[in-house]
Amino acid sequence: MKITFRIQYRTVWGESLCVLLSQNHIQHTVEMTTRNGEEWTGKAEFDFHPSEPICYRYAVSRQETLVRQEFGAIPHSFYPGNLQQQHYLVEDCWRDLPQDAYRYTSAFNNTYALEQPSRLSDNTGRCITFRALCPGLSTHRQRLGLIGSCAALGSWEYCRPLRMKEVQPNVWHLTLDASSLEYPFEYKFVAIHEETGAVEKWETRPNRIFPLQPLQRGETYLPMETEVFFDDAPQRIAGCAIPVFSLRSEGSCGVGDFGDLKLLADWADETGQKAIQILPINDTTMSGTWTDSYPYNSISIYAFHPMYIDLRQLPALKDKKAAEAFEKARIEVNSLPMMDYEKANKLKMDYLRKVYQMEGKKVLASEEFLNFFQHNEEWLQPYAAFCYLRDSYGTPDFNHWPKYSTYEADEIAKLCTPGNKAYTKIAFYYYLQYQLHVQLLAVSTYARAKGILLKGDIPIGISRSSVEAWVEPHYFHLNGQAGAPPDAFSVNGQNWGFPTYNWEVMEKDNYRWWRRRFSKMAEYFTAYRIDHILGFFRIWEIPDHSVHGLLGQFSPSLPLSMDEIRSFGLNLGREFMTQPFINDKVLEEVFGAQSEYVRQHFVTANGKGGYALLQEFDTQRKVKAYFNGKEDEDSLKLKEGLYSLISNVLFVTDHHDAEKLHPRIAAQNDSVFQQLNWKQQGAFNHLYNHYYYQRHNEFWYQEAMKKLPVLTQSTPMLVCGEDLGMVPECVPWVMRQLQILSLEIQRMPKQMYEDFGHPENYPFLSVCTIGTHDMSTFRGWWEEDPALTERFYHQEMHHQGEIPVHAPGWLCKDIVFHHLKSPSLLCILAWQDWMSINEQLRNPDIEGERINIPAHPRHYWRWRMHLTLEQLLKEKELNQTICELIEDSNRR
């Protein structure tokens, strides 16, 4: 079989094109030639299977090295068809992502059976295969058709179109006998009724014209794939964001579970919402205490937290006395206004162990479980062994385990052998993960049946005491600390404590670690939020001797040499720029009455009219260790003051090259900056702005484009990015190019010098919301800063008169509707903000509705709904109001 590929693509000197071809996982590379650097031709002869599709992508190489290739989720494709067809002439154009790529995702397409393309048995051997991309028709009981000006194409009669076959999701093919067509002819793609075959929609463009195409016997001509559009208004949907642990039903056990998530889907469907967004649901069990409540510090990127198992779906306890005691405890813990993490988890785990004793052997021997184990063994076995060893040694820190501290696959496999005495305890975690899988999969299926988009959350970091850090340490810099630079939430920056990624190693296997992670998510979710998408451009890396985030630096980055620093007009000594600036004035300002005590115990004169920290206190980690256990007010003030002295520098040393420096983030807020004269301050500001806002744009763009095309196109899920914080200019470039939905929040405007964003101007490819889990609710924000609230009330909402002390229901309703009317594809509001529109039903405890306070690193994540889902489903007035708001904003 011979294939001739033709494509127009303008290259630069030294570049050449090739075709990356595959069928049944057999790969071929077809080199292409050109006479003018724009029109390329490639010829190949292979033996192909006639019933399997040939998929291919175009790629650009330079000196035999691939430099870029088409990265869209949908490759070019065609079916070889009849064996008598000896030559395929393929016309193409370079295509990365289709226009409106979101419509091709699983969030907007249900799963359905595909069709084999038509084959011609008796023909002249001259064929034309039309190829088209058109998403979403199957969800409307429609199919794609072709109609045209000649008799073989129905002569434009609406009842006689030719039906195309959907050979891959949203990919349609039709092969015709070329001799049956009258050249030249005009044609259009149409949407036809699945049963009657009649035209229901016509393409909104001029007729297509097909010129005479001379073909030899045995040749098939494939014109360019085309994207087909109909005059449909873009679908915009509304939804609700809530952590699973915050759900409350009459039958839950002190914490929301996957059964409650199904009830939430009922409420969403009742109110016209078509999206549910949750926080991470991965297992975070380390100490078994409330400190495990932080959902972004998981011990596994695959395993789910056992607390999300719906006990109602498991067998009842056979011991009646035990069952009665459990039910009494369940009612008690479920009635608490907030989640008691420790009590709820202990109660659920006790119940799960009893049920495991009752039915564990039977479940683990079932065909369903064995199939689950086979598909998940790669991560499930190390996870279960990790949990067993954590329980046995009393710590998740594998570095302190007396045995198995270094992961050896063969040794762990022996430990997990059914004959091993530890097997029963290890298999308990198999059982838990199987139940979680079954229940979440059922929720996913249930939500899809209702047309509800289920959106998960992928944290940017992993715990340094996690299965992944134990099993695959080569993927991480375990001596690094990931965090975030200072922002409105935290003036000292955020130190998450996560190790940073070794991207160089990850790149070698084409980011397999991430692709596996995303693929697991795609089993359950149709959309996901990439937490801190900026981390794929660069991460804020904090040295391991720091507690706060101020002494961090972006990684990767382009540090400055001393010559570069001087070129900006900043001629200062290296010691002055990199050592903490401390003099008597600084000590008085920071410590006040404690300043003399600090002089005597923590610093020493440096002989230059100032002070240096004593060696035993010259890092924040040393200071923290010294004050460990000292919680009195004076000690806390001293500790924080010493932290600030240590970070009182203009520059920090690069982690990889000690000769180079980075301007310290937000140094202008500290006293070291005030010691500079006006000319030096101007020079530093010039350098600072260049470094943080100009120097890295192209560099970070290239870093992101190495990773994100591979990852975002590895599954059919809809991709949303949390792009808040100190956002480089290149981030919107990448997100627009890859059609990743941005996050838009009115109180966090992306335009400089604005107090508020404008929902009516949000981009279509965005998620619009009032606030996130890291922020106060709208009602909470309303009371935080009266001056800001007043500007919002008068200037943004255009209301007159005195502002209400508490946000009334009518005002909250206006805010909700204003966001629903935005152009954003998704408007997903926190459940608390939906409830705020009804003064009778909303929680009177405004502060109690806050989920997280980022400035508190050990915050207790425990908020729960104050109503049950059963009550919520009965609130007809509220539900009708929400339904009307969504309908009036055209989000159905």
Side-chain angles (χ1 to χ4, degrees):
M1 180 188 300
K2 184 190 299 182
I3 309 174
T4 299
F5 296 96
R6 297 193 291 235
I7 186 173
Q8 290 192 356
Y9 186 90
R10 186 180 297 277
T11 56
V12 298
W13 178 257
E15 290 183 341
S16 61
L17 249 60
C18 64
V19 187
L20 306 178
L21 200 66
S22 68
Q23 187 188 52
N24 280 339
H25 307 294
I26 299 174
Q27 309 288 326
H28 301 281
T29 300
V30 180
E31 300 296 336
M32 306 190 78
T33 59
T34 182
R35 290 181 298 177
N36 56 13
E38 184 172 347
E39 296 177 349
W40 292 83
T41 302
K43 296 184 178 181
E45 285 196 53
F46 301 110
D47 291 329
F48 289 106
H49 195 286
S51 62
E52 296 295 330
I54 295 173
C55 298
Y56 61 96
R57 297 178 188 273
Y58 290 94
V60 178
S61 62
R62 184 182 298 119
Q63 296 179 348
E64 300 184 354
T65 300
L66 290 182
V67 293
R68 62 183 172 275
Q69 68 180 50
E70 295 175 304
F71 55 70
I74 304 174
H76 304 282
S77 65
F78 69 91
Y79 282 76
N82 300 326
L83 291 174
Q84 68 187 49
Q85 301 304 113
Q86 299 301 313
H87 189 192
Y88 289 83
L89 304 168
V90 183
E91 297 280 2
D92 274 315
C93 60
W94 183 281
R95 190 191 72 235
D96 284 325
L97 290 176
Q99 185 175 335
D100 296 337
Y102 74 93
R103 298 174 66 227
Y104 295 81
T105 66
S106 55
F108 292 88
N109 286 277
N110 289 322
T111 304
Y112 42 84
L114 300 178
E115 305 167 286
Q116 288 294 320
S118 56
R119 292 180 174 79
L120 302 176
S121 55
D122 297 316
N123 58 68
T124 63
R126 300 177 180 88
C127 301
I128 298 174
T129 296
F130 294 91
R131 301 175 294 167
L133 303 180
C134 185
L137 289 180
S138 295
T139 60
H140 298 96
R141 308 287 292 178
Q142 293 176 334
R143 292 292 184 265
L144 193 65
L146 191 71
I147 195 168
S149 59
C150 59
L153 297 179
S155 300
W156 297 118
E157 295 182 25
Y158 81 96
C159 58
R160 294 179 53 204
L162 298 181
R163 173 175 167 154
M164 301 184 74
K165 298 289 186 70
E166 190 172 21
V167 296
Q168 297 178 51
N170 308 307
V171 179
W172 304 80
H173 285 186
L174 176 64
T175 299
L176 299 176
D177 183 341
S179 65
S180 68
L181 302 170
E182 303 166 17
Y183 302 92
F185 60 85
E186 297 183 10
Y187 68 101
K188 273 190 173 181
F189 293 98
V190 291
I192 63 177
H193 191 275
E194 184 178 47
E195 296 177 357
T196 67
V199 174
E200 294 192 327
K201 294 179 182 177
W202 297 74
E203 272 191 286
T204 54
R205 52 154 292 156
N207 293 344
R208 302 173 186 269
I209 301 176
F210 195 98
L212 178 65
Q213 180 65 39
L215 296 172
Q216 302 297 318
R217 185 174 184 83
E219 288 187 337
T220 296
Y221 175 68
L222 292 89
M224 290 183 189
E225 291 173 316
T226 185
E227 294 182 49
V228 179
F229 302 96
F230 298 108
D231 192 15
D232 296 323
Q235 185 178 3
R236 295 158 51 250
I237 64 177
C240 171
I242 189 169
V244 175
F245 64 75
S246 298
L247 299 174
R248 182 192 296 271
S249 70
E250 294 171 3
S252 53
C253 187
V255 58
D257 56 43
F258 289 158
D260 296 335
L261 194 55
K262 190 176 284 189
L263 281 174
L264 182 68
D266 289 336
W267 178 70
D269 188 51
E270 175 76 16
T271 54
Q273 299 180 67
K274 293 301 178 185
I276 293 174
Q277 176 177 320
I278 62 174
L279 294 187
I281 51 177
N282 299 92
D283 191 358
T284 59
T285 308
M286 294 190 183
S287 64
T289 67
W290 68 265
T291 56
D292 296 343
S293 67
Y294 178 45
Y296 287 89
N297 191 32
S298 68
I299 62 168
S300 170
I301 60 172
Y302 302 106
F304 300 133
H305 201 302
M307 70 181 179
Y308 295 123
I309 293 178
D310 178 7
L311 301 183
R312 292 162 289 190
Q313 299 181 44
L314 301 181
L317 298 180
K318 293 179 180 179
D319 185 332
K320 289 187 177 181
K321 184 175 282 189
E324 290 173 0
F326 166 75
E327 181 61 14
K328 182 180 178 181
R330 185 198 68 79
I331 293 173
E332 179 184 340
V333 74
N334 202 43
S335 64
L336 297 175
M338 295 286 186
M339 175 178 64
D340 187 322
Y341 184 91
E342 295 175 18
K343 186 178 289 187
N345 273 276
K346 183 180 184 305
L347 183 61
K348 294 194 80 166
M349 288 300 286
D350 286 347
Y351 188 97
L352 289 165
R353 291 184 189 280
K354 289 183 173 68
V355 173
Y356 175 65
Q357 290 174 357
M358 288 167 42
E359 69 157 13
K361 288 184 179 179
K362 178 182 176 181
V363 170
L364 296 181
S366 68
E367 184 179 348
E368 293 81 5
F369 170 79
L370 294 174
N371 185 56
F372 165 76
F373 186 84
Q374 180 184 354
H375 285 90
N376 295 276
E377 183 178 3
E378 185 177 9
W379 67 265
L380 182 58
Q381 188 178 77
Y383 162 77
F386 179 94
C387 291
Y388 166 74
L389 295 169
R390 174 203 62 200
D391 299 343
S392 300
Y393 297 135
T395 176
D397 187 349
F398 47 86
N399 295 300
H400 294 125
W401 293 348
K403 192 177 180 182
Y404 305 109
S405 59
T406 298
Y407 179 80
E408 297 288 348
D410 292 342
E411 291 298 311
I412 295 302
K414 291 177 184 177
L415 181 67
C416 297
T417 301
N420 193 298
K421 64 179 181 180
Y423 177 75
T424 301
K425 293 181 178 179
I426 290 172
F428 173 61
Y429 293 100
Y430 296 162
Y431 173 81
L432 295 182
Q433 290 305 311
Y434 172 66
Q435 296 296 349
L436 287 158
H437 162 75
V438 169
Q439 293 189 7
L440 183 56
L441 195 60
V443 174
S444 176
T445 303
Y446 190 73
R448 285 176 189 249
K450 290 180 174 291
I452 294 174
L453 175 160
L454 195 58
K455 182 181 177 187
D457 194 338
I458 296 185
I460 185 62
I462 65 137
S463 171
R464 61 185 66 252
S465 295
S466 67
V467 180
E468 284 71 40
W470 179 48
V471 175
E472 303 170 303
H474 54 285
Y475 282 134
F476 312 101
H477 295 301
L478 293 171
N479 59 347
Q481 299 182 104
D487 57 21
F489 298 123
S490 179
V491 295
N492 291 319
Q494 298 178 44
N495 185 348
W496 304 325
F498 303 140
T500 55
Y501 293 108
N502 189 335
W503 290 113
E504 292 79 9
V505 170
M506 287 185 163
E507 186 179 6
K508 290 177 181 178
D509 60 11
N510 200 29
Y511 309 101
R512 179 176 180 268
W513 187 88
W514 282 99
R515 287 185 287 112
R516 283 182 297 158
R517 185 179 188 182
F518 281 31
S519 294
K520 184 62 179 173
M521 288 278 291
E523 292 181 26
Y524 313 101
F525 299 98
T526 54
Y528 64 96
R529 166 190 179 268
I530 300 179
D531 170 48
H532 194 66
I533 197 172
L534 306 184
F536 290 91
F537 294 77
R538 78 295 183 273
I539 198 73
W540 188 247
E541 190 174 64
I542 302 164
D544 56 9
H545 57 71
S546 290
V547 174
H548 289 165
L550 287 175
L551 293 175
Q553 58 191 247
F554 285 122
S555 178
S557 60
L558 304 171
L560 297 158
S561 67
M562 287 299 295
D563 286 341
E564 285 183 284
I565 293 171
R566 293 188 190 100
S567 72
F568 282 87
L570 200 63
N571 295 296
L572 300 170
R574 185 185 179 94
E575 183 178 350
F576 175 82
M577 292 193 297
T578 59
Q579 296 300 311
F581 178 80
I582 309 171
N583 61 15
D584 288 315
K585 182 180 179 182
V586 170
L587 294 178
E588 292 293 336
E589 289 176 349
V590 174
F591 297 100
Q594 294 177 309
S595 58
E596 186 56 38
Y597 182 81
V598 173
R599 290 187 189 92
Q600 294 175 9
H601 293 86
F602 299 103
V603 301
T604 182
N606 62 8
K608 301 176 183 178
Y611 300 92
L613 288 153
L614 293 174
Q615 186 176 356
E616 55 266 39
F617 303 110
D618 61 358
T619 73
Q620 292 180 344
R621 288 289 171 196
K622 292 178 182 179
V623 171
K624 182 180 180 180
Y626 175 79
F627 285 98
N628 187 34
K630 301 175 183 178
E631 299 296 329
D632 59 282
E633 186 177 343
D634 286 345
S635 293
L636 292 175
K637 183 178 178 181
L638 282 170
K639 181 173 67 174
E640 290 299 324
L642 291 169
Y643 285 169
S644 70
L645 289 187
I646 292 167
S647 61
N648 193 28
V649 296
L650 281 178
F651 288 84
V652 295
T653 303
D654 182 67
H655 296 166
H656 307 288
D657 185 346
E659 297 299 315
K660 295 187 176 181
L661 305 175
H662 305 257
R664 205 218 78 192
I665 192 78
Q668 295 91 332
N669 298 331
D670 283 347
S671 55
V672 63
F673 181 77
Q674 306 305 320
Q675 304 309 307
L676 306 179
N677 60 41
W678 68 268
K679 189 174 182 179
Q680 292 168 333
Q681 288 183 352
F684 182 84
N685 284 334
H686 184 202
L687 177 151
Y688 185 95
N689 291 333
H690 166 77
Y691 178 87
Y692 281 111
Y693 301 107
Q694 300 168 19
R695 182 180 181 89
H696 294 94
N697 275 324
E698 183 61 31
F699 175 67
W700 285 337
Y701 169 83
Q702 296 297 338
E703 287 296 314
M705 289 301 289
K706 290 179 187 177
K707 314 173 186 89
L708 286 174
V710 175
L711 305 184
T712 58
Q713 302 304 314
S714 64
T715 75
M717 293 185 291
L718 178 69
V719 189
C720 309
E722 184 266 292
D723 56 337
L724 305 178
M726 191 175 181
V727 182
E729 186 180 345
C730 60
V731 172
W733 305 348
V734 171
M735 293 183 71
R736 283 194 294 266
Q737 187 172 350
L738 301 183
Q739 299 188 43
I740 300 172
L741 273 63
S742 63
L743 180 61
E744 306 296 332
I745 302 176
Q746 191 170 18
R747 65 180 105 158
M748 294 187 70
K750 292 181 177 176
Q751 298 298 319
M752 294 183 67
Y753 312 115
E754 287 189 348
D755 286 334
F756 309 104
H758 304 286
E760 64 274 14
N761 296 330
Y762 289 165
F764 175 71
L765 290 180
S766 69
V767 181
C768 165
T769 191
I770 295 172
T772 73
H773 62 273
D774 281 333
M775 304 166 71
S776 53
T777 63
F778 177 75
R779 293 165 65 208
W781 173 82
W782 187 261
E783 301 179 20
E784 288 174 355
D785 186 339
L788 188 64
T789 303
E790 184 175 4
R791 288 201 298 277
F792 179 78
Y793 186 71
H794 291 148
Q795 297 174 19
E796 296 299 316
M797 299 192 69
H798 306 293
H799 290 305
Q800 303 297 319
E802 189 174 345
I803 66 170
V805 176
H806 306 294
W810 66 263
L811 180 67
C812 296
K813 184 178 177 181
D814 279 357
I815 295 297
V816 166
F817 188 57
H818 190 46
H819 283 73
L820 287 171
K821 288 195 301 181
S822 74
S824 300
L825 172 60
L826 304 182
C827 179
I828 300 182
L829 307 182
W831 182 83
Q832 304 95 304
D833 288 329
W834 279 117
M835 294 301 298
S836 69
I837 68 177
N838 188 302
E839 294 187 18
Q840 284 70 46
L841 291 176
R842 66 190 190 181
N843 193 336
D845 181 8
I846 297 175
E847 284 301 311
E849 290 193 312
R850 180 87 186 245
I851 297 175
N852 178 44
I853 303 174
H856 295 178
R858 291 171 63 82
H859 179 76
Y860 192 171
W861 295 60
R862 57 188 312 210
W863 170 74
R864 287 190 83 195
M865 300 165 58
H866 63 289
L867 303 174
T868 66
L869 286 157
E870 290 89 349
Q871 288 175 300
L872 194 61
L873 283 163
K874 294 176 183 177
E875 294 296 338
K876 300 300 181 184
E877 182 181 343
L878 168 71
N879 296 340
Q880 182 61 31
T881 300
I882 293 175
C883 203
E884 290 172 356
L885 288 171
I886 292 172
E887 286 183 350
D888 291 346
S889 62
N890 295 317
R891 284 192 178 270
R892 290 300 295 264

